[in-house]
Amino acid sequence: MDCLFCKIIAGEIPSNKVYEDDFVLAFHDIAPQAPTHVLVIPKAHIPSMAAVNEENAEIVSKVLSAVSKVAKELGLEENGYRVVSNCGEYAGQTVHHLHFHILGGKQLDLKMC
Ligand code: 5GP
Ligand code: ZN
């Protein structure tokens, strides 16, 4: 499958990993939008939030648990952080493999759109 994040999971494209287990991978975004910008993804190919359902909810919950864990390990918990998942064209999703952005390390703009 021609998916950038599946290639990162397979090790075909290098990434700066911060967390990995059997179901989840987290790595630094190549073009950070904040002092800390990490992507947390399921190892299974789920195209976006629009494809989340009762069948894959268990995997997604593991990804969200990892978001919380990674944010804590990166020292973001005390001051807070933002979690974003772009879904589809209007949200500007560019990689069609479900991912959660963790953004932190500074006071973020309150604007949501
Ligand atoms: P989206 O726009 O789909 O929500 O987010 C995709 C994210 O993937 C972007 O923030 C982009 O910078 C990041 N990205 C794209 N290609 C690569 C890559 O090869 N390596 C890493 N680490 N991040 C990437
Ligand atoms: Zn994929």
Side-chain angles (χ1 to χ4, degrees):
M1 189 191 300
D2 195 23
C3 169
L4 178 69
F5 287 173
C6 282
K7 286 178 183 162
I8 286 178
I9 291 159
E12 291 165 23
I13 293 172
S15 67
N16 189 356
K17 288 179 198 173
V18 296
Y19 176 81
E20 183 169 18
D21 65 27
D22 288 347
F23 302 95
V24 181
L25 182 67
F27 51 96
H28 288 280
D29 196 291
I30 205 167
Q33 305 293 313
T36 301
H37 186 173
V38 165
L39 301 170
V40 188
I41 69 175
K43 286 190 171 176
H45 181 86
I46 297 171
S48 76
M49 274 304 299
V52 173
N53 56 36
E54 283 180 15
E55 260 98 82
N56 57 30
E58 207 171 320
I59 290 171
V60 176
S61 88
K62 289 179 196 296
V63 177
L64 289 173
S65 295
V67 166
S68 176
K69 188 171 176 163
V70 166
K72 192 180 205 138
E73 282 171 2
L74 293 172
L76 300 176
E77 199 177 79
E78 190 182 345
N79 290 317
Y81 55 92
R82 182 169 293 159
V83 180
V84 174
S85 187
N86 294 317
C87 178
E89 190 184 342
Y90 272 19
Q93 184 181 5
T94 58
V95 180
H96 296 276
H97 180 125
L98 179 65
H99 53 282
F100 294 91
H101 298 256
I102 301 177
L103 298 151
K106 69 167 189 179
Q107 179 64 58
L108 299 170
D109 194 334
L110 288 176
K111 210 157 68 79
M112 292 298 282
C113 56

